């Protein structure tokens, strides 16, 4: 039982860390996407494209680690949540690419697409990752509660056993004392 609880806690904590690792590059992607619409030169846009590619790579690496962990745990709900994030990311990536193309072409509608489409999509993406984290933290909380319950039960059993042993010791002591005192009383 305890090894199962420990395994769940270890896996859930690892998945929380992996999902949290996905948030940093996502935040950087959000910043780079915003910055591209205010970039003044093609050189700035190329630098932002390079940053975007690097952050996408960091995100993909973290997402791959999380996916592998979820697949090992064989949790259908976790896999569904992850697939939902992947779908949201796919749409977000498409819109990000469109914003970058519009910005590179010098089109003012890049800002409109950023504000009306990309930012809401990135917010959904961020929320999806946070939901994975919250779900895993809930799993850890349940493991902690189960462990605490197990501890309380074991403690109560030990207290009960100690009380029973003490009661038994008093009874045996009383019986021994009576068995010694009875012949002495008869002799006197």
């Amino acid at each position: 039982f305890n090894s199962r609880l420990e395994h769940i806690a270890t896996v859930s904590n690892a998945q929380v860390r992996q999902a949290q690792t996905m948030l940093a590059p996502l935040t950087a992607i959000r910043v780079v996407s915003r910055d591209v619409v205010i970039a003044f030169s093609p050189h700035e846009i190329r630098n932002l494209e390079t940053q975007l590619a690097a952050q996408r790579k960091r995100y993909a690496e973290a997402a791959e680690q999380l996916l592998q962990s979820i697949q090992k745990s064989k949790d259908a709900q976790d896999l569904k949540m992850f697939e939902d994030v992947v779908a949201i990311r796919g749409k977000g990536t498409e819109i990000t690419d469109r914003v970058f193309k519009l910005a590179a072409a010098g089109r003012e509608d890049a800002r409109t697409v950023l504000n009306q489409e990309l930012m809401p999509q990135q917010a959904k993406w961020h929320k999806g990752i946070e939901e994975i984290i919250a779900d895993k933290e809930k799993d850890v909380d349940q493991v902690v509660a189960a462990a605490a319950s197990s501890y309380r039960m074991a403690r109560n059993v030990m207290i009960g056993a100690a009380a029973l042993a003490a009661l038994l010791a008093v009874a045996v002591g009383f019986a021994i004392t009576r068995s010694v005192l009875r012949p002495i009383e008869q002799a006197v």
Side-chain angles (χ1 to χ4, degrees):
F1 175 73
N2 285 338
S3 64
R4 170 127 172 81
L5 291 178
E6 185 177 323
H7 172 73
I8 292 169
T10 301
V11 168
S12 293
N13 280 331
Q15 289 176 353
V16 164
R17 283 190 307 278
Q18 290 158 348
Q20 287 172 333
T21 302
M22 294 165 60
L23 288 175
L26 173 56
T27 300
I29 290 169
R30 293 172 86 168
V31 170
V32 168
S33 300
R34 182 204 62 212
D35 290 351
V36 77
V37 298
I38 57 174
F40 290 106
S41 70
H43 176 71
E44 283 181 281
I45 292 174
R46 281 192 301 278
N47 284 341
L48 291 169
E49 288 170 342
T50 302
Q51 290 176 35
L52 176 64
Q55 296 307 323
R56 282 180 171 171
K57 182 179 178 191
R58 281 183 56 211
Y59 180 90
E61 290 167 354
E64 181 60 30
Q65 287 180 347
L66 178 58
L67 176 59
Q68 288 175 5
S69 179
I70 289 172
Q71 288 173 334
K72 283 181 190 175
S73 70
K74 298 178 180 161
D75 187 321
Q77 178 185 349
D78 290 349
L79 188 57
K80 170 75 171 97
M81 291 174 76
F82 183 82
E83 289 170 349
D84 290 347
V85 169
V86 168
I88 293 168
R89 176 189 181 220
K91 185 166 176 140
T93 299
E94 291 173 17
I95 299 169
T96 301
D97 291 343
R98 189 160 32 115
V99 167
F100 268 78
K101 286 178 187 171
L102 292 170
R107 297 193 35 196
E108 279 297 312
D109 51 349
R111 187 179 312 268
T112 303
V113 173
L114 172 75
N115 291 330
Q116 293 179 0
E117 296 179 45
L118 183 57
M119 290 177 76
Q121 187 67 23
Q122 288 174 334
K124 284 174 33 180
W125 186 0
H126 195 272
K127 182 180 177 196
I129 295 170
E130 287 181 337
E131 287 173 354
I132 291 173
I133 293 169
D135 182 64
K136 295 286 95 193
E137 287 175 340
K138 182 185 77 173
D139 290 350
V140 170
D141 290 345
Q142 289 172 346
V143 167
V144 168
S149 174
S150 177
Y151 166 77
R152 281 190 303 276
M153 186 174 76
R155 183 198 62 206
N156 292 342
V157 167
M158 292 299 290
I159 290 171
L164 184 60
L167 185 61
L168 184 61
V170 167
V172 169
F174 182 74
I176 291 172
T177 302
R178 295 245 326 139
S179 70
V180 170
L181 287 180
R182 192 172 287 149
I184 293 175
E185 285 177 358
Q186 288 175 355
V188 175

